[in-house]
Amino acid sequence: MKAKTPTQLSYTLALVSTFIAICTHAYLTYRHFEVTLGHDLGDSFCNINATFNCDTVAASSFSSLLGIPLALWGLVTNLVLFLLALTVRMTWDGQAGTSARWLIRLSTVVLLATIVMGTVSITQLKVYCPFCILTYALSIVTFAGFFLLSPASLLGQLREDIKALFVSNRLHLTMLGLIPVFAWLLNGIFHSQYKTSQSDLAKFIEFQTADWKANPTFDFSSVSGLSTGSSAENAKMTIYEFADFLCSHCRDAFPKLEAFVESHSNVRLVFFNFPLDGDCNESISQKVGKRCQLAKAVICAGEKAWPVHHHLFEHQEKLHSADMDSELVKMSELFQLPLEEWKLCMNSEATHQVLLRQIKAGVGAGVKGTPAIYVNGRKLLGGQNIPMLKAAYDQL
């Protein structure tokens, strides 16, 4: 068997790298639409923590260009790059022809775009998308692999090749033109798939935000809750969420709220317990007990309140049938919370009064079910969805 030359090896490596980039961008595109079009978010292995979180990046204002997700731009650009690479493989005879020269130039554009996006992530967002970092690395490998075909081809004959695009080389002009065309078409297909065309979504958001602006304003500042994001003094927007730990809609809402808050430095989120349980909530007729206990468990978790909060939502299905005492033992070990002190706090009158004040605030604001979202004290229907939050944010 004839051994591959270094040029052949670099080309093969670049081709494989481009294919992996296509798959990665496809996942990021899917995730972007899941986040931004307000659909339920399941667990994503791309979300590691608050610093490395793909959904936070997708929810940011830097995630789209001309109304099309950057991930989708990356998908179609790498797809065209892959097709162009295949034509080079079929036509290249050892000398860098037109196809090879455009292949090297396009891979250079991809590399420069990833440098810009990486810089924005570091200097502006300060939150990092693990899969995005993977695409940055892949763009370097792709560029290096194709560049080694003919280093002099990056700028060589550039003027002549541009002229040829409009005269004798319509194939490459078509391939380059497919990038914006495919991006626009696929963007439309995704919106159609989610049954939320931009015009329909805009009308729905306009109606709901107008209703939000007309709603009465409630002052929750005197009620202590679990907060994250901006400080109260620097917050342009404060989101108040009333939720129940055994409410499936609350479980689905929180990742979206968290992603929105973490992608906006001047947004604050305050979480209030509103157990749908007559054992502590007089507005609810059915008594369960466990819902109130879960709320008190978070109130008494102190500095571990947010980790416990996340844990309860992540394991919600098991909690419905789980023994509460057994779960407290497991969580006390997991979060290093002294069990007896934790239970003592949960059973104290002081904790009960803290919970009652949160419930009373919700009842006074007209909370009937969960999750209930209030933005700057006014109820925002559909506020658990990122497009609605963005619209309210833009009007502040």
Side-chain angles (χ1 to χ4, degrees):
M1 178 180 289
K2 186 178 180 180
K4 288 188 176 181
T5 66
T7 299
Q8 289 175 318
L9 288 173
S10 70
Y11 171 86
T12 302
L13 180 62
L15 196 63
V16 172
S17 175
T18 305
F19 179 77
I20 296 173
I22 292 171
C23 298
T24 306
H25 279 101
Y27 176 78
L28 289 172
T29 299
Y30 160 77
R31 197 67 188 175
H32 177 95
F33 284 108
E34 285 286 294
V35 172
T36 59
L37 292 185
H39 283 251
D40 292 342
L41 297 180
D43 293 333
S44 171
F45 45 82
C46 193
N47 300 334
I48 300 173
N49 51 39
T51 303
F52 295 94
N53 193 297
C54 292
D55 290 351
T56 298
V57 175
S60 76
S61 57
F62 299 100
S63 64
S64 297
L65 177 65
L66 302 177
I68 298 174
L70 289 175
L72 183 52
W73 283 111
L75 170 61
V76 296
T77 303
N78 277 279
L79 180 59
V80 170
L81 189 63
F82 187 79
L83 295 175
L84 186 58
L86 292 180
T87 66
V88 171
R89 185 178 182 86
M90 291 185 291
T91 60
W92 197 48
D93 58 0
Q95 300 295 320
T98 306
S99 294
R101 292 195 294 271
W102 280 117
L103 178 65
I104 295 167
R105 291 163 189 158
L106 186 56
S107 65
T108 303
V109 171
V110 172
L111 176 62
L112 292 175
T114 61
I115 292 173
V116 171
M117 290 186 291
T119 302
V120 168
S121 184
I122 294 171
T123 61
Q124 301 298 316
L125 289 177
K126 298 180 181 178
V127 177
Y128 311 99
C129 163
F131 274 27
C132 299
I133 294 173
L134 174 60
T135 64
Y136 303 160
L138 290 170
S139 70
I140 296 173
V141 174
T142 298
F143 168 77
F146 289 143
F147 184 73
L148 289 175
L149 290 175
S150 178
S153 295
L154 182 58
L155 297 176
Q157 297 180 256
L158 179 60
R159 181 177 299 179
E160 293 82 356
D161 286 345
I162 292 176
K163 289 181 179 179
L165 287 176
F166 302 94
V167 179
S168 58
N169 192 9
R170 301 291 176 82
L171 173 62
H172 292 130
L173 178 63
T174 300
M175 295 184 75
L176 294 174
L178 285 176
I179 294 175
V181 171
F182 276 0
W184 180 79
L185 287 175
L186 288 173
N187 190 55
I189 290 172
F190 268 104
H191 278 90
S192 176
Q193 177 183 347
Y194 284 105
K195 298 180 180 179
T196 52
S197 68
Q198 290 181 336
S199 60
D200 290 343
L201 183 61
K203 290 177 182 177
F204 177 71
I205 290 175
E206 182 180 3
F207 174 80
Q208 293 293 0
T209 51
D211 187 56
W212 162 69
K213 293 171 71 175
N215 283 335
T217 302
F218 296 94
D219 183 8
F220 301 118
S221 60
S222 62
V223 185
S224 62
L226 192 58
S227 64
T228 187
S230 171
S231 65
E233 297 77 17
N234 298 325
K236 169 184 175 180
M237 177 179 183
T238 300
I239 304 168
Y240 298 95
E241 179 196 17
F242 290 87
D244 177 299
F245 285 109
L246 294 185
C247 160
S248 60
H249 295 297
C250 298
R251 177 198 60 203
D252 296 335
F254 189 78
K256 290 175 272 188
L257 294 172
E258 185 177 46
F260 183 81
V261 172
E262 290 180 353
S263 62
H264 294 77
S265 61
N266 56 356
V267 174
R268 180 173 179 246
L269 172 65
V270 180
F271 175 88
F272 291 137
N273 290 286
F274 195 85
L276 303 177
D277 188 341
D279 202 49
C280 59
N281 189 341
E282 292 183 354
S283 68
I284 306 297
S285 58
Q286 185 178 8
K287 293 186 177 184
V288 180
K290 184 181 291 185
R291 295 172 185 264
C292 298
Q293 288 180 294
L294 293 173
K296 291 179 179 180
V298 171
I299 293 173
C300 290
E303 294 180 355
K304 304 294 180 63
W306 277 119
V308 172
H309 166 286
H310 286 49
H311 177 86
L312 294 180
F313 276 136
E314 289 168 2
H315 297 83
Q316 186 185 85
E317 292 185 5
K318 294 181 180 178
L319 289 172
H320 281 283
S321 57
D323 176 70
M324 190 64 189
D325 287 335
S326 298
E327 288 302 313
L328 287 176
V329 171
K330 293 176 183 177
M331 287 190 288
S332 70
E333 295 174 352
L334 178 63
F335 299 108
Q336 297 182 340
L337 291 167
L339 181 59
E340 294 306 318
E341 292 181 19
W342 195 18
K343 285 184 176 181
L344 189 64
C345 175
M346 289 173 58
N347 294 323
S348 71
E349 180 61 23
T351 299
H352 185 64
Q353 290 302 318
V354 170
L355 178 57
L356 289 184
R357 283 193 288 273
Q358 294 183 9
I359 294 171
K360 183 179 179 180
V363 173
V367 175
K368 302 295 184 184
T370 55
I373 308 298
Y374 291 75
V375 171
N376 288 7
R378 291 175 291 183
K379 188 169 186 177
L380 178 63
L381 290 175
Q384 66 269 34
N385 296 317
I386 287 176
M388 198 68 68
L389 292 170
K390 282 185 176 180
Y393 178 87
D394 292 339
Q395 295 187 32
L396 294 174

